[in-house]
Amino acid sequence: WEHVAMTTSTPPERAAEVPADLLAAATEAHTRAYCPYSHYRVGVALRTAGGAVVTGCNVENAAFPLGSCAEAGAIAAMVSAGELEIAEAVVVTDGDLPGTPCGGCRQRLREFAGPEVMVHSVSATTGAVVSLSVAELLPASFGPERLPG
């Protein structure tokens, strides 16, 4: 797997190593994606603070707004399993360049992950990797700590 820089703020030499177990789990989830419309598969594996690994894949729907992102599915599985904190994430996508989480999923990840948590995006096609922290994916983010109570 070769690390590539998608932005000037994250050079390849700074990219973190992708954990093999999360990569394998995300790759497996990637193969199970249901995407008959976009044909763009996404698989995600999250490691929780408790050490569990949960996965998700994108699921499209003919009524396009009803589809769900892989990250949303993995987070739902994590919460359903009783975990509330993400320690690390791997996202596997189609395409020559790794696809980073969409804006909505960046906010979803931020809800359960601190700014220092690493998100590794990997191309299933080329093996290229981009590793960014949640803070880099979503600078000046709005998190649960900003809400009263």
Side-chain angles (χ1 to χ4, degrees), residues 23-99:
L23 179 59
T27 300
E28 176 70 21
H30 171 265
T31 67
R32 296 171 189 250
Y34 178 75
C35 51
Y37 310 108
S38 72
H39 306 287
Y40 187 78
R41 296 174 298 161
V42 180
V44 174
L46 306 175
R47 184 180 326 281
T48 69
V53 174
V54 295
T55 63
C57 62
N58 57 320
V59 178
E60 295 180 349
N61 189 288
F64 288 167
L66 298 179
S68 63
C69 293
E71 296 88 344
I75 289 169
M78 177 189 76
V79 172
S80 179
E83 297 269 3
L84 296 175
E85 187 178 346
I86 298 169
E88 194 162 21
V90 173
V91 179
V92 175
T93 63
D94 288 337
D96 291 341
L97 292 174

Side-chain angles (χ1 to χ4, degrees), residues 80-132:
S80 179
E83 297 269 3
L84 296 175
E85 187 178 346
I86 298 169
E88 194 162 21
V90 173
V91 179
V92 175
T93 63
D94 288 337
D96 291 341
L97 292 174
T100 58
C102 72
C105 286
R106 292 173 189 213
Q107 186 63 48
R108 286 181 183 95
L109 289 166
R110 174 61 180 90
E111 182 73 16
F112 298 97
E116 74 289 347
V117 169
M118 293 304 297
V119 179
H120 309 282
S121 298
V122 182
S123 164
T125 307
T126 65
V129 177
V130 172
S131 297
L132 299 167

Side-chain angles (χ1 to χ4, degrees), residues 142-149:
F142 184 85
E145 72 282 352
R146 295 189 182 237
L147 296 172

